[in-house]
């Protein structure tokens, strides 16, 4: 009976991951369309831009710089550290996987951002800068500017909380959806603060969430696969002992 329940639960997990991979493919296509065809990036950026002064008035806002860009990020880092200690003390391997996924997800976004040729809105010609705009996955502009602005690095700290969806899923679907909503809200709010400063477009932040989710799906799929293999090995040993 126990073995049957385990196998049915694992099958449900694989369906979950299959749906997540499909969602990643569909959302990736939607984000690409939004960046290249909708004009929403420019529309939102223009809402925070002063065309007379040719600047983003909130660029040097102390409230956005310290509350949103620093203190909130530091609070999330402290929270991640607390989860790591909790995982060690409770010997909770799944929570440990979540902490690793949160760290790797933010590192992945930071790595992509550090190697990106796309510049921030405040460096672009339509917003008083000198850099030329070019499409994602398109030919690099003749004057790309300083780059290092895609995807949104700051928002990834908030989006990383979404990883706890996979930690909570086996025990409580309600908690899982709660963590997902919490992480999405934090990431969008942190990203909005950066958009107001002229540091990022909306699509930068959405792609940040996409990268975080991709890392979470891959790591937890690998974790559950490893768990399923170990369960099967233990079942085989038990059957071997009882058969003997």
């Amino acid at each position: 009976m126990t073995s049957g329940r385990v196998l049915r639960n694992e099958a449900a997990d694989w369906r979950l991951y299959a749906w997540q991979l499909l969602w990643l493919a569909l959302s990736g296509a939607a984000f690409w369309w939004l960046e290249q065809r909708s004009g929403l990036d420019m529309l939102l950026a223009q809402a925070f831009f002063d065309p007379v002064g040719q600047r983003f008035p909130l660029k040097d806002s102390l409230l956005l710089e310290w509350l949103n860009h620093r203190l909130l990020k530091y609070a999330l880092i402290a929270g991640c550290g607390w989860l790591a200690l909790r995982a060690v003390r409770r010997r909770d391997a799944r929570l440990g996987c979540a902490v690793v996924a949160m760290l790797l997800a933010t590192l992945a976004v930071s790595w992509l951002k550090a190697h990106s040729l796309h510049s921030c809105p405040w460096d672009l010609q339509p917003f008083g800068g000198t850099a030329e705009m070019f499409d994602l996955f398109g030919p690099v502009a003749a004057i790309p500017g300083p780059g290092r602005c895609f995807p949104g690095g700051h928002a990834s700290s908030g989006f990383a909380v979404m990883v706890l969806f996979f930690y909570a899923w086996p025990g409580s679907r309600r908690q899982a959806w709660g963590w997902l909503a919490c992480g999405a809200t934090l990431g969008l709010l942190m990203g909005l603060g950066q958009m107001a400063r002229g540091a990022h477009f909306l699509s930068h932040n959405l792609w940040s969430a996409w990268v975080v989710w991709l890392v979470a799906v891959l790591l937890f799929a690998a974790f559950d696969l490893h768990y399923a293999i170990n369960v099967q090995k233990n079942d085989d040993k038990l059957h071997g002992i009882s058969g003997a």
Side-chain angles (χ1 to χ4, degrees), residues 56-220:
F56 287 93
L58 296 176
K59 180 179 180 180
D60 299 316
S61 167
L62 289 177
L63 179 64
L64 291 178
E65 172 65 20
W66 285 98
L67 179 61
N68 178 65
H69 194 249
R70 294 182 185 271
L71 295 181
L72 189 53
K73 181 173 67 175
Y74 296 154
L76 288 168
I77 292 173
C80 187
W82 179 80
L83 288 175
L85 289 175
R86 185 182 178 90
V88 172
R89 288 174 179 173
R90 294 193 172 191
R91 297 183 180 179
D92 189 339
R94 191 170 189 87
L95 182 56
C97 179
V99 172
V100 171
M102 293 170 76
L103 293 174
L104 289 182
T106 53
L107 286 174
V109 171
S110 296
W111 186 88
L112 290 171
K113 183 173 179 289
H115 291 80
S116 170
L117 296 177
H118 290 269
S119 294
C120 301
W122 58 37
D123 291 317
L124 299 174
Q125 292 177 1
F127 302 106
T130 59
E132 297 176 353
M133 295 183 64
F134 59 98
D135 292 336
L136 183 64
F137 307 127
V140 179
I143 308 175
R148 298 187 296 278
C149 201
F150 177 87
H154 182 59
S156 68
S157 299
F159 287 131
V161 176
M162 298 191 304
V163 170
L164 294 172
F165 169 88
F166 292 103
Y167 167 70
W169 182 262
S172 172
R173 306 293 169 84
R174 184 175 180 178
Q175 287 185 14
W177 288 112
W179 282 119
L180 178 61
C182 180
T185 301
L186 279 172
L188 288 173
L189 287 176
M190 294 172 75
L192 179 62
Q194 289 297 83
M195 289 166 58
R197 297 179 64 232
H200 286 294
F201 287 121
L202 173 63
S203 62
H204 293 185
N205 297 318
L206 294 179
W207 277 109
S208 176
W210 191 92
V211 172
V212 168
W213 200 247
L214 174 63
V215 172
V217 170
L218 294 179
L219 282 185
F220 270 96

